[in-house]
Amino acid sequence: MLFSGMPNWAPALQLIGLILGVAVAVPMTTASAEVVFTEVSGESLPIHERANQLLLTAGAAVGDCDRDGWTDIYFPAQLEHALYRNRGDGSFEDFTEQSQLAFLAQQDFFAGRGAAFGDIDNDGDLDLFVTGYAQARHWLFVNDGACRFTEEAARRGVQVDSVALGRSVSFGDYDLDGYLDLFVTEVWSPAFAPPIQPPVSHLFRNRGAAAPGYFEDVTLAAGVAIDRVVGTQPGIFPFTPRFVDFDRDGLPDLAIASDFGQSRLFWNTGLGTFIDGTASARVGTDEYGMGAVTADFDGDGWLDWFVSSIYLGSGQRGSGNRLYRYAGGRRFEDVTDLAGVRDGMWGWGVAALDYDNDGDQDLALANGVVPGDADEYAAREFGPIDLTPFFSDPARFWRNRGDGRFEEIAVEVGFFDRGAGQGLVAFDYDRDGDLDLLLTHDHGVLPLFFRNDGGNANAWLQIALRGVRSNRHGIGALVALVPTSGRPQVQEVSASSTYLAQNGEGVLHFGLGVATSVELIEIRWPSGAIQRQRQIEANQRITLVEPTECNLEDGGTCVDTPTATETPTPRPTATATLPQATATPTAIPVSCAGDCSRDNLVTIDEILRMVRIALELAGVEDCRAGDFNSDGRVTIDEILAAVRNALFGCPANR
């Protein structure tokens, strides 16, 4: 659909085309720039000073735990913690002692694995969940607002304490009550432990306004127990869960990347339960799913699912990664080969990021395996096999070409790792407008920290949200953006893992190419509110607050709210605790026109949405109606114009 010749309509109609999944013909041009990652962990991250003390376990979580506007980093370890506070000058300081995490590790046998930040009680600060390394004894560290923690897993109902092995944890508000729930993956095999009482892996529901930050295990009741999923090995092997709204019905679904053919996709029913839609969705073909990320890789306005796996290069098993493109109607298509992202060797953590700020999502992959870690399983799966090459397999970095295909350029951009990489997370630690990368390892090997020294040659915009009806950081909100040049983009605010590592800061990063500003931002909040913001200058981070007054019965459209630009503070200080938010669960409308569900049918609700959009565009100075282009077919924008003018008449007659 081409909307040229209608400049006043362009932002709204680009969003309509984006949400419909119809390509909008807007060429993307970018300024040429040499983009190079520089490995700076030695100079920026003083973790090397504790190299002889820390036995790192590959987990990591990034988030602003002291609310000073700068992103901090946490690493779990065996018998230790490591928390590094961002100074705001491009460097970090060891804050483990001050955070009380060092003291807490001494009080209990601590061996953490995966980690995630999330505001469990809606008090405005990020709390910290850590999974057990050698057993599923999990920890929940509650933040006092100044990056100081107390451990309350047992008290709040999430300790578990079984012989299963903890893996990744993800936060998301699946029941839309305004409070973050969590899903934690655990691995069990008869090869290392006796049978245990199910479930293995847990969905914990936040009790919400009645008891903020306290949880109940609803795994069985919600229908997401995976104990009976049959794979190619005896046992239960989920690695990476993600809360994500694939079908755009406003309800966070649950996608789980699992080893040995056990990956699963659960659709949210909106009734507190899920249904297994793996087979009908045509996903789960990744034989050895490990890491995962969700993003709109092809720019059609719908979120896709990338799952890392093992690539052997031949045979029926070990066929590599999967890129599942959402095709509508709760179905995906496998575009792995078309995209050129199958071969990651022994893949683990993965990150989606626009590293060069050109407006599309690129891919980075951590990979490798330590000899001895997987020999027994590999022998049962593949027969005699030499795992030595997988220990030193090079990390992958795929640049998105913008046409559905990727090219591998890890060497060119300076992204390297020839060890056993595990976790991977992208974030802008130095607030310079481009995304940096943190890559972690198991077995005590120190992380690699890559500073992006070229991505901000193009323009960018970062968006942070503050929920009022919704959870405080807007986790699960869907944000669509139309720049002044280049194609529209869609991103979802996520606090989900990519395998052991997680970004919980809740900040979206949009590359804008050569655009100098953004014409329109549309936010669909978890509460159901639709908020629009217009004419935003590029190259800044803004915070948008959820509107307090919305007529949700009229489609959830809200008035614009003022935009506040965050100002970095070089030396952080603690801030007061924000007042607790209240939540109002509601059905979530979608700002969409036409076949919103992509099921090849237009329902009454979808027609009503079109009328609502036409009403909102009533002031547009355009008198045309009917087949504008005389091409024998009527497009969505022509229908909207006809409805608007039928209701209000042409501008000249008003």
Side-chain angles (χ1 to χ4, degrees), residues 230-361:
V230 177
T232 59
Q233 297 271 351
I236 305 158
F237 302 96
F239 283 157
T240 307
R242 291 190 67 84
F243 290 101
V244 51
D245 184 7
F246 282 126
D247 57 358
R248 301 286 290 274
D249 63 354
L251 301 167
D253 308 304
L254 180 61
I256 305 174
S258 302
D259 206 351
F260 302 118
Q262 296 180 2
S263 292
R264 283 294 177 269
L265 173 57
F266 295 97
W267 297 110
N268 192 332
T269 67
L271 303 173
T273 59
F274 294 79
I275 56 174
D276 188 338
T278 309
S280 60
R282 301 180 298 192
V283 295
T285 63
D286 47 282
E287 300 105 332
Y288 308 104
M290 298 182 188
V293 72
T294 48
D296 179 14
F297 291 108
D298 56 358
D300 67 351
W302 298 82
L303 299 175
D304 312 304
W305 186 19
F306 180 88
V307 178
S308 64
S309 188
I310 300 171
Y311 183 73
L312 298 182
S314 63
Q316 294 182 346
R317 295 182 182 175
S319 60
N321 307 319
R322 293 293 189 276
L323 177 55
Y324 302 114
R325 175 188 176 271
Y326 188 75
R330 290 189 167 181
R331 292 167 70 90
F332 293 77
E333 59 180 339
D334 186 335
V335 295
T336 311
D337 289 323
L338 176 65
V341 293
R342 184 175 295 278
D343 181 8
M345 294 191 76
W346 203 286
W348 291 105
V350 61
L353 71 159
D354 185 358
Y355 86 103
D356 51 2
N357 285 339
D358 67 348
D360 50 38
Q361 295 293 309

Side-chain angles (χ1 to χ4, degrees), residues 35-38 355 430 432 434-436 450-455:
V35 180
V36 176
F37 287 101
T38 305
Y355 86 103
D430 49 7
D432 67 346
D434 52 31
L435 292 173
D436 314 294
F450 297 92
R451 184 184 66 214
N452 189 333
D453 288 329

Side-chain angles (χ1 to χ4, degrees), residues 377-574:
Y377 292 101
R380 287 201 297 262
E381 285 289 307
F382 312 122
I385 182 173
D386 180 12
L387 297 184
T388 304
F390 295 101
F391 175 65
S392 58
D393 49 359
R396 299 291 199 268
F397 196 99
W398 288 287
R399 182 181 74 87
N400 193 330
R401 296 176 45 170
D403 60 358
R405 295 176 293 172
F406 292 75
E407 59 181 333
E408 208 288 312
I409 56 168
V411 173
E412 289 84 343
V413 298
F415 180 67
F416 61 86
D417 181 34
R418 298 191 68 88
Q422 295 268 283
L424 191 62
V425 62
F427 64 108
D428 184 8
Y429 87 96
D430 49 7
R431 296 285 298 270
D432 67 346
D434 52 31
L435 292 173
D436 314 294
L437 282 167
L438 176 68
L439 187 152
T440 66
H441 306 88
D442 198 359
H443 300 285
V445 179
L446 295 180
L448 296 176
F449 195 21
F450 297 92
R451 184 184 66 214
N452 189 333
D453 288 329
N456 58 359
N458 286 323
W460 53 275
L461 183 70
Q462 294 176 355
I463 301 174
L465 301 182
R466 196 180 82 184
V468 179
R469 295 180 182 87
S470 305
N471 65 82
R472 183 53 60 95
H473 289 81
I475 304 302
L478 195 67
V479 179
L481 174 149
V482 179
T484 51
S485 65
R487 65 185 181 188
Q489 303 176 46
V490 164
Q491 293 188 38
E492 185 178 56
V493 184
S494 178
S496 289
S497 177
T498 57
Y499 180 63
L500 302 182
Q502 177 253 18
N503 185 339
E505 63 178 345
V507 176
L508 295 180
H509 179 96
F510 290 90
L512 302 178
V514 299
T516 58
S517 64
V518 170
E519 292 191 27
L520 180 63
I521 298 170
E522 180 174 283
I523 304 169
R524 188 196 68 189
W525 290 86
S527 68
I530 302 293
Q531 179 182 4
R532 295 186 179 90
Q533 193 78 28
R534 294 176 173 82
Q535 301 304 321
I536 306 297
E537 293 300 313
N539 301 326
Q540 63 171 325
R541 178 179 293 188
I542 62 174
T543 299
L544 297 177
V545 180
E546 185 176 15
T548 57
E549 295 184 4
C550 294
N551 185 356
L552 295 177
E553 294 181 356
D554 187 29
T557 302
C558 305
V559 297
D560 293 342
T561 56
T563 299
T565 302
E566 295 183 5
T567 303
T569 304
R571 295 298 300 179
T573 56

